[in-house]
Short mmCIF file of all heavy atoms in Angstrom, two decimals:
data_model
loop_
_atom_site.label_atom_id
_atom_site.label_comp_id
_atom_site.label_asym_id
_atom_site.label_seq_id
_atom_site.Cartn_x
_atom_site.Cartn_y
_atom_site.Cartn_z
N THR K 262 198.77 232.60 173.88
CA THR K 262 197.88 232.90 174.74
C THR K 262 197.53 234.36 174.78
O THR K 262 196.87 234.92 175.66
CB THR K 262 198.23 232.62 176.40
OG1 THR K 262 199.15 233.58 176.82
CG2 THR K 262 198.79 231.19 176.46
N LEU K 263 197.75 235.10 173.67
CA LEU K 263 197.54 236.44 173.69
C LEU K 263 196.21 236.84 173.07
O LEU K 263 195.72 237.87 173.20
CB LEU K 263 198.61 237.21 172.86
CG LEU K 263 200.03 237.13 173.47
CD1 LEU K 263 201.11 237.78 172.59
CD2 LEU K 263 200.02 237.92 174.85
N LEU K 264 195.61 235.81 172.32
CA LEU K 264 194.35 235.99 171.68
C LEU K 264 193.52 234.84 171.92
O LEU K 264 193.93 233.70 171.78
CB LEU K 264 194.65 236.13 170.10
CG LEU K 264 193.64 236.91 169.25
CD1 LEU K 264 193.53 238.37 169.59
CD2 LEU K 264 194.20 236.82 167.86
N ARG K 265 192.29 235.08 172.34
CA ARG K 265 191.29 233.97 172.52
C ARG K 265 190.76 233.49 171.15
O ARG K 265 190.46 234.20 170.28
CB ARG K 265 190.03 234.41 173.26
CG ARG K 265 190.28 234.85 174.63
CD ARG K 265 189.08 235.44 175.07
NE ARG K 265 189.05 235.42 176.54
CZ ARG K 265 188.12 234.80 177.25
NH1 ARG K 265 187.16 234.19 176.76
NH2 ARG K 265 188.24 234.86 178.61
N PRO K 266 190.63 232.14 171.09
CA PRO K 266 190.03 231.59 169.90
C PRO K 266 188.50 231.84 169.95
O PRO K 266 187.92 231.92 170.98
CB PRO K 266 190.28 230.12 169.90
CG PRO K 266 190.60 229.76 171.20
CD PRO K 266 191.14 231.01 171.96
N SER K 267 187.90 232.12 168.81
CA SER K 267 186.40 232.36 168.92
C SER K 267 185.70 230.99 168.96
O SER K 267 184.56 230.88 169.41
CB SER K 267 185.98 233.00 167.64
OG SER K 267 186.64 234.23 167.52
N ALA K 268 186.32 229.93 168.40
CA ALA K 268 185.75 228.55 168.49
C ALA K 268 186.86 227.60 168.36
O ALA K 268 187.97 227.88 167.81
CB ALA K 268 184.64 228.36 167.42
N GLY K 269 186.62 226.36 168.77
CA GLY K 269 187.60 225.27 168.57
C GLY K 269 188.39 225.02 169.81
O GLY K 269 188.40 225.78 170.78
N GLY K 270 189.19 223.95 169.80
CA GLY K 270 189.87 223.43 171.04
C GLY K 270 191.44 223.86 170.80
O GLY K 270 192.04 223.54 169.76
N VAL K 271 192.09 224.45 171.77
CA VAL K 271 193.52 224.78 171.65
C VAL K 271 194.22 224.15 173.00
O VAL K 271 193.72 224.46 174.05
CB VAL K 271 193.75 226.27 171.68
CG1 VAL K 271 195.19 226.52 171.41
CG2 VAL K 271 192.94 226.88 170.58
N THR K 272 195.17 223.41 172.71
CA THR K 272 195.92 222.92 173.89
C THR K 272 197.40 223.23 173.55
O THR K 272 197.96 222.93 172.58
CB THR K 272 195.83 221.43 174.18
OG1 THR K 272 194.42 221.13 174.16
CG2 THR K 272 196.45 221.07 175.38
N VAL K 273 198.03 223.96 174.46
CA VAL K 273 199.46 224.37 174.39
C VAL K 273 200.21 223.97 175.62
O VAL K 273 199.78 224.32 176.62
CB VAL K 273 199.59 225.81 174.08
CG1 VAL K 273 201.12 226.26 173.99
CG2 VAL K 273 198.98 226.33 172.76
N LEU K 274 201.19 223.17 175.43
CA LEU K 274 202.01 222.67 176.51
C LEU K 274 201.14 222.10 177.72
O LEU K 274 201.35 222.30 178.92
CB LEU K 274 202.85 223.76 177.17
CG LEU K 274 203.97 224.39 176.28
CD1 LEU K 274 204.54 225.72 176.87
CD2 LEU K 274 205.00 223.44 176.01
N GLY K 275 200.08 221.35 177.34
CA GLY K 275 199.23 220.68 178.21
C GLY K 275 198.17 221.54 178.85
O GLY K 275 197.37 221.05 179.62
N ALA K 276 198.14 222.90 178.46
CA ALA K 276 197.17 223.79 178.96
C ALA K 276 196.17 224.00 177.97
O ALA K 276 196.51 224.37 176.80
CB ALA K 276 197.80 225.15 179.38
N ARG K 277 194.79 223.86 178.44
CA ARG K 277 193.73 224.27 177.49
C ARG K 277 193.50 225.78 177.40
O ARG K 277 193.52 226.35 178.53
CB ARG K 277 192.34 223.67 177.95
CG ARG K 277 192.21 222.18 177.52
CD ARG K 277 190.96 221.58 178.14
NE ARG K 277 190.67 220.42 177.36
CZ ARG K 277 189.96 220.39 176.23
NH1 ARG K 277 189.55 221.47 175.81
NH2 ARG K 277 189.79 219.26 175.62
N LEU K 278 193.48 226.34 176.34
CA LEU K 278 193.21 227.80 176.16
C LEU K 278 191.81 228.10 175.78
O LEU K 278 191.16 227.26 175.07
CB LEU K 278 194.24 228.37 175.13
CG LEU K 278 195.72 228.09 175.33
CD1 LEU K 278 196.43 228.85 174.18
CD2 LEU K 278 196.22 228.50 176.62
N PRO K 279 191.23 229.13 176.30
CA PRO K 279 191.88 230.20 177.14
C PRO K 279 191.75 229.83 178.70
O PRO K 279 192.43 230.60 179.47
CB PRO K 279 191.08 231.36 176.79
CG PRO K 279 189.69 230.97 176.40
CD PRO K 279 189.92 229.60 175.89
N SER K 280 191.04 228.87 178.99
CA SER K 280 190.74 228.77 180.47
C SER K 280 191.92 228.41 181.33
O SER K 280 191.99 228.81 182.52
CB SER K 280 189.64 227.69 180.65
OG SER K 280 190.09 226.44 180.12
N GLU K 281 193.02 227.69 180.79
CA GLU K 281 194.12 227.33 181.63
C GLU K 281 195.40 228.10 181.11
O GLU K 281 196.57 227.59 181.22
CB GLU K 281 194.40 225.78 181.48
CG GLU K 281 193.16 225.04 182.08
CD GLU K 281 193.53 223.54 181.89
OE1 GLU K 281 194.18 223.10 180.97
OE2 GLU K 281 192.89 222.80 182.76
N ALA K 282 195.24 229.23 180.53
CA ALA K 282 196.33 230.01 179.91
C ALA K 282 197.45 230.09 180.99
O ALA K 282 198.69 230.13 180.62
CB ALA K 282 195.92 231.36 179.49
N TRP K 283 197.14 230.26 182.19
CA TRP K 283 198.16 230.51 183.29
C TRP K 283 199.18 229.43 183.31
O TRP K 283 200.22 229.61 183.83
CB TRP K 283 197.49 230.74 184.62
CG TRP K 283 196.41 229.69 185.04
CD1 TRP K 283 195.18 229.67 184.72
CD2 TRP K 283 196.72 228.60 185.68
NE1 TRP K 283 194.53 228.51 185.15
CE2 TRP K 283 195.57 227.77 185.74
CE3 TRP K 283 197.86 227.94 186.31
CZ2 TRP K 283 195.36 226.59 186.47
CZ3 TRP K 283 197.80 226.69 186.96
CH2 TRP K 283 196.57 226.05 187.07
N LYS K 284 198.74 228.28 183.02
CA LYS K 284 199.66 227.04 182.98
C LYS K 284 200.75 227.14 182.00
O LYS K 284 201.79 226.59 182.20
CB LYS K 284 198.83 225.79 182.76
CG LYS K 284 198.20 225.18 183.94
CD LYS K 284 197.87 223.64 183.58
CE LYS K 284 196.80 223.09 184.46
NZ LYS K 284 196.34 221.85 183.79
N ALA K 285 200.29 227.76 180.79
CA ALA K 285 201.37 227.86 179.72
C ALA K 285 202.21 228.98 179.80
O ALA K 285 203.36 229.11 179.20
CB ALA K 285 200.67 227.79 178.47
N ARG K 286 201.68 230.11 180.46
CA ARG K 286 202.47 231.39 180.50
C ARG K 286 203.77 231.23 181.17
O ARG K 286 203.84 230.50 182.19
CB ARG K 286 201.59 232.58 181.12
CG ARG K 286 200.43 232.96 180.29
CD ARG K 286 199.71 234.11 180.74
NE ARG K 286 198.67 234.33 179.57
CZ ARG K 286 197.51 234.85 179.92
NH1 ARG K 286 197.24 235.23 181.03
NH2 ARG K 286 196.63 235.10 178.86
N GLY K 287 204.68 231.90 180.66
CA GLY K 287 206.12 231.72 181.20
C GLY K 287 206.84 230.63 180.65
O GLY K 287 208.09 230.51 180.97
N ARG K 288 206.26 229.78 179.86
CA ARG K 288 206.97 228.67 179.25
C ARG K 288 207.05 228.84 177.72
O ARG K 288 207.54 227.93 177.02
CB ARG K 288 206.15 227.28 179.62
CG ARG K 288 206.17 227.09 181.19
CD ARG K 288 205.04 225.99 181.37
NE ARG K 288 205.38 224.76 180.81
CZ ARG K 288 204.52 223.73 180.69
NH1 ARG K 288 203.29 223.98 181.07
NH2 ARG K 288 204.75 222.68 180.09
N ILE K 289 206.58 229.94 177.31
CA ILE K 289 206.44 230.22 175.80
C ILE K 289 207.42 231.46 175.51
O ILE K 289 207.38 232.38 176.20
CB ILE K 289 205.02 230.63 175.37
CG1 ILE K 289 204.05 229.35 175.69
CG2 ILE K 289 205.02 231.01 173.91
CD1 ILE K 289 202.73 229.71 175.45
N GLY K 290 208.23 231.25 174.46
CA GLY K 290 208.98 232.43 174.01
C GLY K 290 208.36 232.93 172.79
O GLY K 290 208.22 232.27 171.82
N TYR K 291 207.95 234.24 172.91
CA TYR K 291 207.26 234.82 171.82
C TYR K 291 207.97 235.97 171.08
O TYR K 291 208.34 236.88 171.76
CB TYR K 291 205.83 235.30 172.25
CG TYR K 291 205.04 236.00 171.21
CD1 TYR K 291 204.30 235.26 170.29
CD2 TYR K 291 204.87 237.40 171.20
CE1 TYR K 291 203.58 235.91 169.29
CE2 TYR K 291 204.09 237.96 170.35
CZ TYR K 291 203.40 237.27 169.33
OH TYR K 291 202.62 237.93 168.39
N LEU K 292 208.16 235.81 169.83
CA LEU K 292 208.79 237.02 169.05
C LEU K 292 207.78 237.35 168.06
O LEU K 292 207.53 236.68 166.98
CB LEU K 292 210.10 236.30 168.41
CG LEU K 292 210.98 237.30 167.53
CD1 LEU K 292 211.44 238.44 168.47
CD2 LEU K 292 211.95 236.67 166.87
N GLY K 293 207.24 238.46 168.27
CA GLY K 293 206.23 239.02 167.37
C GLY K 293 206.58 240.11 166.44
O GLY K 293 207.87 240.29 166.25
N HIS K 294 205.75 240.72 165.85
CA HIS K 294 206.03 241.90 164.88
C HIS K 294 206.68 243.05 165.69
O HIS K 294 207.63 243.67 165.24
CB HIS K 294 204.82 242.43 164.22
CG HIS K 294 204.28 241.65 163.07
ND1 HIS K 294 205.12 241.28 162.07
CD2 HIS K 294 203.10 241.12 162.77
CE1 HIS K 294 204.49 240.55 161.18
NE2 HIS K 294 203.28 240.46 161.62
N GLN K 295 206.11 243.25 166.81
CA GLN K 295 206.68 244.31 167.75
C GLN K 295 207.67 243.69 168.55
O GLN K 295 207.65 242.54 169.02
CB GLN K 295 205.48 244.75 168.70
CG GLN K 295 204.66 245.87 168.29
CD GLN K 295 203.66 246.39 169.35
OE1 GLN K 295 203.04 245.57 169.93
NE2 GLN K 295 203.79 247.62 169.61
N PRO K 296 208.70 244.38 168.94
CA PRO K 296 209.82 243.92 169.76
C PRO K 296 209.38 243.53 171.19
O PRO K 296 210.02 242.81 171.92
CB PRO K 296 210.97 244.98 169.61
CG PRO K 296 210.19 246.17 169.27
CD PRO K 296 209.06 245.87 168.41
N LEU K 297 208.30 244.26 171.66
CA LEU K 297 207.90 244.07 172.99
C LEU K 297 208.92 244.60 174.01
O LEU K 297 209.26 243.96 175.01
CB LEU K 297 207.35 242.71 173.47
CG LEU K 297 206.28 242.22 172.50
CD1 LEU K 297 205.76 240.82 173.09
CD2 LEU K 297 205.09 243.07 172.30
N LEU K 298 209.46 245.75 173.71
CA LEU K 298 210.44 246.41 174.57
C LEU K 298 210.11 247.82 174.79
O LEU K 298 209.62 248.48 173.82
CB LEU K 298 211.97 246.34 173.88
CG LEU K 298 212.48 244.92 173.43
CD1 LEU K 298 213.70 245.10 172.60
CD2 LEU K 298 212.87 244.18 174.81
N TYR K 299 210.36 248.28 175.98
CA TYR K 299 210.09 249.65 176.24
C TYR K 299 211.03 250.61 175.70
O TYR K 299 212.29 250.41 175.94
CB TYR K 299 209.87 249.86 177.80
CG TYR K 299 208.70 249.30 178.36
CD1 TYR K 299 208.84 248.05 179.13
CD2 TYR K 299 207.43 249.74 178.20
CE1 TYR K 299 207.76 247.34 179.51
CE2 TYR K 299 206.33 249.12 178.73
CZ TYR K 299 206.39 247.87 179.44
OH TYR K 299 205.41 247.25 179.87
N ARG K 300 210.61 251.56 174.93
CA ARG K 300 211.49 252.52 174.20
C ARG K 300 212.44 253.36 175.14
O ARG K 300 213.51 253.68 174.75
CB ARG K 300 210.80 253.34 173.27
CG ARG K 300 210.14 252.61 172.25
CD ARG K 300 209.05 253.45 171.41
NE ARG K 300 209.44 254.87 171.12
CZ ARG K 300 210.21 254.98 170.05
NH1 ARG K 300 210.55 254.01 169.20
NH2 ARG K 300 210.61 256.34 169.80
N GLU K 301 211.89 253.59 176.30
CA GLU K 301 212.56 254.68 177.19
C GLU K 301 213.52 253.93 178.16
O GLU K 301 214.14 254.55 179.09
CB GLU K 301 211.61 255.47 178.01
CG GLU K 301 210.73 256.30 177.01
CD GLU K 301 211.53 257.30 176.08
OE1 GLU K 301 212.76 257.60 176.40
OE2 GLU K 301 211.00 257.61 174.97
N LEU K 302 213.69 252.61 178.05
CA LEU K 302 214.56 251.81 178.96
C LEU K 302 215.72 251.30 178.03
O LEU K 302 215.53 251.20 176.89
CB LEU K 302 213.76 250.59 179.61
CG LEU K 302 212.53 250.98 180.53
CD1 LEU K 302 212.12 249.77 181.16
CD2 LEU K 302 213.02 251.93 181.55
N THR K 303 216.76 250.96 178.74
CA THR K 303 217.82 250.39 178.04
C THR K 303 217.57 248.80 177.68
O THR K 303 216.64 248.30 178.23
CB THR K 303 219.21 250.49 178.74
OG1 THR K 303 219.08 249.63 179.83
CG2 THR K 303 219.53 251.92 179.29
N VAL K 304 218.36 248.24 176.85
CA VAL K 304 218.20 246.85 176.57
C VAL K 304 218.29 245.98 177.78
O VAL K 304 217.54 245.16 178.12
CB VAL K 304 219.18 246.42 175.59
CG1 VAL K 304 219.11 244.91 175.26
CG2 VAL K 304 219.11 247.16 174.15
N ARG K 305 219.35 246.29 178.71
CA ARG K 305 219.44 245.60 179.91
C ARG K 305 218.41 245.78 180.90
O ARG K 305 217.93 244.89 181.41
CB ARG K 305 220.83 245.99 180.59
CG ARG K 305 222.03 245.33 180.07
CD ARG K 305 223.27 245.33 181.00
NE ARG K 305 224.37 244.80 180.32
CZ ARG K 305 225.08 245.49 179.51
NH1 ARG K 305 225.01 246.84 179.27
NH2 ARG K 305 226.18 244.91 178.90
N GLU K 306 217.88 247.11 180.91
CA GLU K 306 216.76 247.37 181.80
C GLU K 306 215.51 246.48 181.39
O GLU K 306 214.73 246.00 182.16
CB GLU K 306 216.48 248.81 181.93
CG GLU K 306 217.52 249.53 182.79
CD GLU K 306 217.34 251.07 182.54
OE1 GLU K 306 216.69 251.54 181.59
OE2 GLU K 306 217.97 251.88 183.30
N ASN K 307 215.23 246.52 180.00
CA ASN K 307 214.26 245.68 179.59
C ASN K 307 214.32 244.31 179.90
O ASN K 307 213.30 243.64 180.31
CB ASN K 307 214.18 245.88 178.05
CG ASN K 307 213.17 247.05 177.65
OD1 ASN K 307 212.02 246.99 177.87
ND2 ASN K 307 213.62 248.03 176.99
N LEU K 308 215.50 243.72 179.70
CA LEU K 308 215.63 242.24 180.07
C LEU K 308 215.53 242.01 181.41
O LEU K 308 214.88 241.04 181.90
CB LEU K 308 217.01 241.77 179.52
CG LEU K 308 217.16 241.85 177.92
CD1 LEU K 308 218.61 241.43 177.42
CD2 LEU K 308 216.09 240.94 177.24
N GLY K 309 216.00 243.05 182.30
CA GLY K 309 215.93 242.76 183.69
C GLY K 309 214.52 242.81 184.19
O GLY K 309 213.96 242.06 184.99
N PHE K 310 213.65 243.70 183.53
CA PHE K 310 212.21 243.79 183.75
C PHE K 310 211.54 242.59 183.53
O PHE K 310 210.74 241.99 184.25
CB PHE K 310 211.68 244.96 182.97
CG PHE K 310 210.15 245.07 183.10
CD1 PHE K 310 209.54 245.46 184.21
CD2 PHE K 310 209.38 244.88 181.96
CE1 PHE K 310 208.11 245.51 184.31
CE2 PHE K 310 207.95 244.93 182.02
CZ PHE K 310 207.38 245.34 183.25
N ASN K 311 211.83 241.91 182.29
CA ASN K 311 211.24 240.78 181.93
C ASN K 311 211.61 239.55 182.87
O ASN K 311 210.83 238.72 183.25
CB ASN K 311 211.65 240.30 180.55
CG ASN K 311 210.60 240.89 179.50
OD1 ASN K 311 209.64 240.26 179.18
ND2 ASN K 311 210.99 242.06 178.97
N ALA K 312 212.93 239.55 183.33
CA ALA K 312 213.44 238.56 184.25
C ALA K 312 212.56 238.57 185.52
O ALA K 312 212.22 237.60 186.02
CB ALA K 312 214.86 238.78 184.42
N ARG K 313 212.32 239.83 185.92
CA ARG K 313 211.61 239.92 187.31
C ARG K 313 210.09 239.48 187.11
O ARG K 313 209.56 238.76 188.01
CB ARG K 313 211.63 241.33 187.77
CG ARG K 313 212.91 241.80 188.35
CD ARG K 313 212.95 243.29 188.64
NE ARG K 313 212.29 243.39 189.98
CZ ARG K 313 212.21 244.54 190.61
NH1 ARG K 313 212.71 245.72 189.89
NH2 ARG K 313 211.57 244.71 191.70
N LEU K 314 209.52 239.71 185.98
CA LEU K 314 208.27 239.21 185.70
C LEU K 314 208.16 237.73 185.63
O LEU K 314 207.17 237.15 186.05
CB LEU K 314 207.60 239.78 184.34
CG LEU K 314 207.27 241.26 184.26
CD1 LEU K 314 206.62 241.59 182.92
CD2 LEU K 314 206.40 241.70 185.36
N HIS K 315 209.27 237.07 185.10
CA HIS K 315 209.31 235.68 185.03
C HIS K 315 209.86 235.01 186.25
O HIS K 315 210.03 233.80 186.21
CB HIS K 315 210.15 235.26 183.80
CG HIS K 315 209.44 235.48 182.44
ND1 HIS K 315 208.52 234.57 181.99
CD2 HIS K 315 209.27 236.46 181.74
CE1 HIS K 315 207.98 234.94 180.94
NE2 HIS K 315 208.47 236.12 180.63
N GLY K 316 210.03 235.79 187.23
CA GLY K 316 210.54 235.37 188.47
C GLY K 316 212.04 234.68 188.43
O GLY K 316 212.30 233.65 189.09
N ILE K 317 212.84 235.13 187.51
CA ILE K 317 214.19 234.60 187.50
C ILE K 317 215.08 235.19 188.50
O ILE K 317 215.24 236.42 188.58
CB ILE K 317 214.82 234.90 186.00
CG1 ILE K 317 213.82 234.23 184.95
CG2 ILE K 317 216.21 234.39 185.95
CD1 ILE K 317 214.21 234.75 183.53
N GLU K 318 215.65 234.31 189.28
CA GLU K 318 216.59 234.84 190.36
C GLU K 318 217.97 235.06 189.70
O GLU K 318 218.55 234.27 188.92
CB GLU K 318 216.84 233.65 191.42
CG GLU K 318 215.41 233.19 192.09
CD GLU K 318 215.05 234.02 193.16
OE1 GLU K 318 215.92 234.60 193.85
OE2 GLU K 318 213.85 234.14 193.39
N ARG K 319 218.63 236.19 190.23
CA ARG K 319 219.89 236.45 189.69
C ARG K 319 220.02 236.46 188.12
O ARG K 319 220.73 235.57 187.66
CB ARG K 319 220.96 235.69 190.29
CG ARG K 319 220.80 235.72 191.89
CD ARG K 319 222.14 235.34 192.55
NE ARG K 319 222.09 235.65 193.97
CZ ARG K 319 222.21 236.84 194.52
NH1 ARG K 319 222.49 237.87 193.74
NH2 ARG K 319 222.03 237.03 195.75
N PRO K 320 219.35 237.16 187.38
CA PRO K 320 219.31 236.99 186.00
C PRO K 320 220.50 237.64 185.24
O PRO K 320 220.66 237.41 184.05
CB PRO K 320 218.04 237.83 185.57
CG PRO K 320 217.90 238.99 186.53
CD PRO K 320 218.44 238.30 187.91
N GLU K 321 221.48 238.31 185.99
CA GLU K 321 222.47 239.10 185.30
C GLU K 321 223.32 238.21 184.41
O GLU K 321 223.58 238.70 183.22
CB GLU K 321 223.36 239.78 186.34
CG GLU K 321 222.73 240.86 187.15
CD GLU K 321 221.83 240.39 188.27
OE1 GLU K 321 221.86 239.15 188.58
OE2 GLU K 321 221.08 241.24 188.78
N ALA K 322 223.74 236.97 184.88
CA ALA K 322 224.69 236.13 184.06
C ALA K 322 223.99 235.75 182.76
O ALA K 322 224.55 235.76 181.68
CB ALA K 322 225.05 234.92 184.93
N ARG K 323 222.66 235.25 182.92
CA ARG K 323 221.78 234.94 181.81
C ARG K 323 221.75 236.05 180.70
O ARG K 323 221.87 235.88 179.60
CB ARG K 323 220.50 234.47 182.24
CG ARG K 323 219.45 234.16 181.21
CD ARG K 323 219.71 232.79 180.63
NE ARG K 323 218.77 232.59 179.51
CZ ARG K 323 218.95 231.84 178.51
NH1 ARG K 323 220.20 231.30 178.31
NH2 ARG K 323 218.08 231.60 177.49
#
Side-chain angles (χ1 to χ4, degrees):
Chain K
T262 75
L263 295 176
L264 202 62
R265 289 166 162 247
S267 303
V271 183
T272 308
V273 174
L274 296 171
R277 274 177 166 278
L278 303 186
S280 56
E281 299 178 331
W283 52 271
K284 275 194 199 169
R286 284 184 180 153
R288 298 162 63 195
I289 298 171
Y291 175 75
L292 180 67
H294 282 307
Q295 269 189 308
L297 305 188
L298 300 167
Y299 291 101
R300 292 162 50 76
E301 300 299 337
L302 300 182
T303 68
V304 177
R305 273 198 191 86
E306 285 166 348
N307 264 296
L308 294 179
F310 174 66
N311 272 276
R313 288 176 77 182
L314 288 188
H315 284 274
I317 301 172
E318 305 275 332
R319 307 201 169 282
E321 293 78 12
R323 172 81 182 146

